[in-house]
């Protein structure tokens, strides 16, 4: 089986690639290193079943030979990254999605799209089930990401309905772990990095907004199951850990776990920062027989250890 993974040099892509290789797949990885790094995949270059193509998926994609599965992960995922690259973000999750879907149609591949909990926007329903349509500001600073993901989901479903393509959509909730960039701006790497340096931890707004954090190993397992199980054509599935926590509690926990002398500094709230976010994962349990196994405590321990080793 040959799988194409776009965004392979990123945080999730590099871990998912390892899993496919472990399971005996041949992986073609594609990345332009916008927010990923060759360091994340350098250890895979000696593997005969791994082939890397340095490429921007916004352009027409040509692959020689068969492709059984396409997993489209390429896209900046951190709010800081996608706000720094607003147009690129919109291109990679419109033109990039179109190109990868076109390739999947040509090669008769299965197609998995990495969507996001951001399609729910500032959700008015809690926790968020897949049949909630969301509450998104279409022109705010986060819209470049939210609307591109929503457009991509619609495009996936159009290819499914018009061409019978076997598409599956993963709505990924906040995921963390080793290989996140220290300075990617997402909350866990930022707070861990600051705590380890005994510098103040920045918390936006009152810190009472919530997130639910999934450890990378659990996310990879969910994405792998979504990719290989039969009879999931056209399904949209939330993947995330329903253990919800406020950002203030998270900051305090990170200070405690790193024995840090850092204080917490409150900064003005980010525009359109969702107030509460927590996945309803009943569908993932039912269709994938999947639920996260790693608690926030355990996941943070491994992540802190990794950041200490950098
Ligand atoms: P990441 O930024 O670490 O990885 C994205 C990768 O895509 C990077 O290696 C980057 O260089 C690559 N890329 C960007 N534009 C590209 C282009 N035009 N052509 C080729 N490669 C390109 O982010 P991540 O956390 O690994 O996220 C991966 C996917 O999962 C993204 O689609 C993201 O939207 C989705 N997602 C992630 C989370 C999360 O919490 N990590 C949550 C929801 C959704
Ligand atoms: N956040 C914070 N300090 C930081 C980074 C983020 O308080 O240094 C908050 C942010 O305002 C949001 C939450 O943490 O409420 C998660 O932010 P992140 O950028 O990780 O991703 P998001 O879930 O917003 O996409």
């Amino acid at each position: 089986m040959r799988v194409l993974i776009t965004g392979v040099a990123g945080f999730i892509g590099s871990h998912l690639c390892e899993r496919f290789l472990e399971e005996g797949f041949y992986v073609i990885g594609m990345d332009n290193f916008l927010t990923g790094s060759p360091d994340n995949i350098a250890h895979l270059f000696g593997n005969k079943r791994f082939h890397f193509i340095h490429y921007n998926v916004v352009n027409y994609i040509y692959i020689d030979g068969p492709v059984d599965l396409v997993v489209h992960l390429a896209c900046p995922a951190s709010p800081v990254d996608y706000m720094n690259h607003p147009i690129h973000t919109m291109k990679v999750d419109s033109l990039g999605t179109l190109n990868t879907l076109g390739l999947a149609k040509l090669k008769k591949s299965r197609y998995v799209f990495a969507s996001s909990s951001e399609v729910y926007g500032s959700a008015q329903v809690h926790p968020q089930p897949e049949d909630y349509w969301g509450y998104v500001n279409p022109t705010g600073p986060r819209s470049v990401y939210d609307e591109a993901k929503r457009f991509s989901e619609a495009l996936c479903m159009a290819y499914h309905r018009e061409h019978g393509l076997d598409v599956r959509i993963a709505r990924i909730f906040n995921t963390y772990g080793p290989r996140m960039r220290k300075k990617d701006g997402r909350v866990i790497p930022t707070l861990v990095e600051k705590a380890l340096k005994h510098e103040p931890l920045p918390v936006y707004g009152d810190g009472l907004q919530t997130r639910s954090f999934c450890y990378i190993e659990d996310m990879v397992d969910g994405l792998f199951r979504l990719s290989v199980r039969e009879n999931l054509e056209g399904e949209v599935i939330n993947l995330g850990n329903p253990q919800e926590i406020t950002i203030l509690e998270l900051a305090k926990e990170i200070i405690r776990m790193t024995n840090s002398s850092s204080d917490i500094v409150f900064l003005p709230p980010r525009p359109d920062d969702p107030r509460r976010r927590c996945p309803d994962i009943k569908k993932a349990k039912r269709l994938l027989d999947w639920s996260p196994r790693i608690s926030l405590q355990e996941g943070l321990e491994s992540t802190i250890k990794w950041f200490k080793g950098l």
Side-chain angles (χ1 to χ4, degrees):
M1 293 277 276
R2 287 176 104 213
V3 49
L4 168 69
I5 302 180
T6 72
V8 75
F11 163 53
I12 297 181
S14 59
H15 288 280
L16 187 64
C17 179
E18 284 172 355
R19 175 69 186 268
F20 273 106
L21 291 171
E22 276 161 29
E23 301 277 349
F25 283 70
Y26 185 102
V27 179
I28 304 161
M30 204 172 257
D31 208 292
N32 68 348
F33 301 129
L34 181 77
T35 55
S37 163
D39 295 345
N40 291 338
I41 49 170
H43 61 295
L44 302 176
F45 283 136
N47 189 319
K48 288 195 174 56
R49 282 185 287 106
F50 179 63
H51 177 66
F52 179 71
I53 304 173
H54 186 185
Y55 197 68
N56 183 341
V57 299
V58 163
N59 302 310
Y60 181 86
I61 302 168
Y62 172 80
I63 303 279
D64 201 17
V67 178
D68 303 290
L69 170 68
V70 175
V71 184
H72 181 36
L73 292 169
C75 182
S78 158
V80 171
D81 286 338
Y82 63 69
M83 289 188 220
N84 280 339
H85 302 285
I87 297 173
H88 183 99
T89 299
M90 296 213 79
K91 282 186 180 173
V92 71
D93 265 342
S94 55
L95 299 174
T97 308
L98 184 68
N99 291 334
T100 49
L101 281 165
L103 178 83
K105 176 176 162 253
L106 178 75
K107 304 281 184 182
K108 300 187 172 36
S109 330
R110 183 174 285 172
Y111 186 91
V112 173
F113 177 66
S115 187
S116 166
S117 51
E118 278 286 314
V119 300
Y120 300 122
S122 293
Q124 311 286 295
V125 167
H126 197 77
Q128 293 87 53
E130 290 85 351
D131 57 8
Y132 175 54
W133 292 355
Y135 189 76
V136 174
N137 175 351
T139 54
R142 295 178 86 102
S143 65
V144 294
Y145 183 76
D146 303 10
E147 295 294 7
K149 291 290 181 194
R150 289 168 70 95
F151 174 85
S152 285
E153 287 200 11
L155 197 59
C156 288
M157 293 311 291
Y159 268 76
H160 172 58
R161 294 190 183 107
E162 191 170 336
H163 298 301
L165 201 71
D166 178 356
V167 302
R168 292 122 190 254
I169 295 171
R171 290 199 180 135
I172 301 174
F173 283 66
N174 296 64
T175 302
Y176 70 102
R179 295 199 193 131
M180 292 183 96
R181 278 160 30 239
K182 270 192 215 172
K183 297 202 186 307
D184 89 354
R186 287 184 270 193
V187 67
I188 290 184
T190 306
L191 300 190
V192 169
E193 168 72 359
K194 298 278 185 196
L196 291 175
K197 288 184 170 163
H198 304 279
E199 291 174 1
L201 270 55
V203 166
Y204 296 112
D206 59 12
L208 299 181
Q209 68 272 34
T210 69
R211 293 294 186 272
S212 308
F213 295 97
C214 185
Y215 189 61
I216 184 66
E217 202 177 308
D218 283 325
M219 182 54 61
V220 162
D221 190 46
L223 288 170
F224 185 75
R225 285 169 191 245
L226 179 65
S227 301
V228 300
R229 291 220 162 181
E230 296 303 320
N231 304 319
L232 292 174
E233 293 90 345
E235 294 291 355
V236 180
I237 303 186
N238 284 341
L239 292 177
N241 189 323
Q243 191 186 347
E244 190 180 0
I245 185 171
T246 67
I247 297 304
L248 190 55
E249 283 172 310
L250 174 75
K252 288 180 183 164
E253 185 60 13
I254 289 175
I255 290 174
R256 192 190 65 73
M257 290 179 71
T258 50
N259 293 318
S260 175
S261 58
S262 296
D263 294 323
I264 292 171
V265 55
F266 290 91
L267 300 177
R270 280 179 172 175
D272 298 334
D273 197 339
R275 216 40 209 163
R276 290 187 77 182
R277 188 187 282 158
C278 180
D280 177 332
I281 59 163
K282 284 199 240 6
K283 195 169 174 186
K285 284 183 180 160
R286 181 166 50 85
L287 294 182
L288 306 178
D289 195 20
W290 174 88
S291 54
R293 294 162 183 272
I294 297 161
S295 66
L296 183 60
Q297 182 80 26
E298 288 172 275
L300 281 178
E301 264 169 35
S302 314
T303 307
I304 290 168
K305 202 168 148 196
W306 187 79
F307 273 99
K308 275 184 182 166
L310 280 183

